[in-house]
Amino acid sequence: MRTPFSEFLHLFQLTQTRWHNKALDQRFMKFTLDTKILAGFIACSVALLIVSLLSFRNSERFIAANAQVTHTHQVLSELDQILLHSVNVESGVRGYVIAGKESFLELFNESKKGLLEHMAQARLLTRDNQAQLPNIENLENAIADRLNNLERSIELGRNDQLEAARELVASGTGKQLQDKVRDYILKIKQIEEILLSQREATRDSDAKSFNNVFIILLVVIIAVLAIVYVIIMTNIRALRVAEAQAS
């Protein structure tokens, strides 16, 4: 049979136990909330790291592909300059043999210098392309033959043989040599234009892949943040309810 004192003691112990359990529940909820916040932070950090790595990888591929496109444009530009200067050297010589004035050779000398410089640059830019090396060598030989033919006309003119120089220019030999130069330039350009088309397609594909990866991972980050936010708010509300009940 319980006495009034034992009944009071029992109720006091029961109250203490419930208070202790609520305190434990609150501590557990706080611990759980901290853990979830940490987990959310880690998840976001991992997602950002993945975004950074994939973005860096794709950007490197895009930069490399874009550099190849730029390289091909440079080769094509050099070929255009070679053709332009090969025409100008002939114009300078024609003016000289017609008028007999050395001043017309200024165009020849300047164009010859530019022609050789652009030819050297074209060889440098295509040095790693085995398919182009024979064509570059053929073009160099054709240009050398063209210059030798023109310089022969200049030599005749300087030796008081302007009529012979005019006959050499009018013989059609120069035109044949110039046609060879044009043909080799056209052949090289055709190969470069195929490469340009392929490289532009690769560059565009890399740019598209980069954008897609970035968008997908951005969506993943937003989703992770939204989930973490919902979890945190749910736990905060539950913690507030528990604290209100405890008080």
Side-chain angles (χ1 to χ4, degrees):
M1 182 176 179
R2 291 186 177 182
T3 64
F5 177 76
S6 61
E7 187 69 25
F8 170 78
L9 182 60
H10 174 70
L11 290 173
F12 177 77
Q13 289 176 344
L14 182 61
T15 301
Q16 287 292 98
T17 302
R18 288 178 179 176
W19 180 87
H20 180 69
N21 289 338
K22 287 181 180 181
L24 287 176
D25 289 342
Q26 290 178 6
R27 286 197 297 268
F28 178 74
M29 290 178 68
K30 290 181 179 179
F31 174 76
T32 303
L33 180 60
D34 292 341
T35 303
K36 290 177 179 178
I37 291 174
L38 178 61
F41 175 78
I42 293 173
C44 290
S45 300
V46 170
L48 286 172
L49 179 61
I50 293 173
V51 170
S52 301
L53 291 175
L54 291 178
S55 297
F56 178 74
R57 179 187 174 194
N58 279 275
S59 63
E60 279 195 325
R61 290 175 56 186
F62 174 77
I63 291 171
N66 198 52
Q68 289 294 315
V69 170
T70 301
H71 177 273
T72 307
H73 279 298
Q74 289 175 339
V75 175
L76 292 172
S77 176
E78 293 299 327
L79 294 172
D80 288 337
Q81 290 299 314
I82 289 171
L83 181 58
L84 175 64
H85 286 295
S86 70
V87 172
N88 288 341
V89 289
E90 181 181 9
S91 298
V93 173
R94 281 184 177 275
Y96 169 70
V97 300
I98 291 173
K101 296 181 178 180
E102 288 279 336
S103 59
F104 283 94
L105 293 180
E106 292 180 4
L107 176 60
F108 170 79
N109 292 328
E110 291 176 1
S111 299
K112 177 184 176 182
K113 179 182 177 182
L115 178 59
L116 296 177
E117 287 176 352
H118 288 291
M119 187 67 247
Q121 187 64 18
R123 169 172 278 280
L124 179 64
L125 290 171
T126 57
R127 67 187 182 278
D128 296 329
N129 189 340
Q130 296 299 320
Q132 290 286 40
L133 292 181
N135 297 324
I136 292 293
E137 291 177 359
N138 289 333
L139 178 58
E140 285 179 327
N141 293 333
I143 288 174
D145 292 341
R146 185 74 179 107
L147 291 175
N148 288 336
N149 175 262
L150 294 170
E151 288 170 345
R152 175 58 180 161
S153 298
I154 295 171
E155 182 181 359
L156 289 172
R158 285 173 172 170
N159 291 330
D160 297 325
Q161 301 181 53
L162 278 175
E163 190 60 35
R166 294 187 187 107
E167 291 177 357
L168 179 59
V169 170
S171 67
T173 302
K175 181 180 182 305
Q176 293 175 359
L177 294 173
Q178 182 63 22
D179 287 343
K180 282 187 177 181
V181 172
R182 290 179 185 274
D183 290 342
Y184 287 127
I185 288 176
L186 178 60
K187 189 173 183 179
I188 295 170
K189 289 184 75 172
Q190 287 174 340
I191 295 175
E192 290 299 321
E193 285 169 354
I194 292 173
L195 286 174
L196 178 61
S197 178
Q198 294 172 345
R199 288 168 177 174
E200 285 179 336
T202 300
R203 179 197 61 187
D204 294 342
S205 176
D206 289 340
K208 185 177 180 180
S209 297
F210 173 79
N211 292 333
N212 291 339
V213 169
F214 183 79
I215 290 172
I216 291 172
L217 292 175
L218 185 61
V219 170
V220 170
I221 290 175
I222 293 173
V224 170
L225 289 174
I227 293 171
V228 171
Y229 174 78
V230 171
I231 292 174
I232 291 174
M233 293 306 298
T234 301
N235 279 267
I236 289 175
R237 283 193 293 268
L239 184 60
R240 287 174 179 173
V241 172
E243 289 176 346
Q245 291 177 349
S247 62

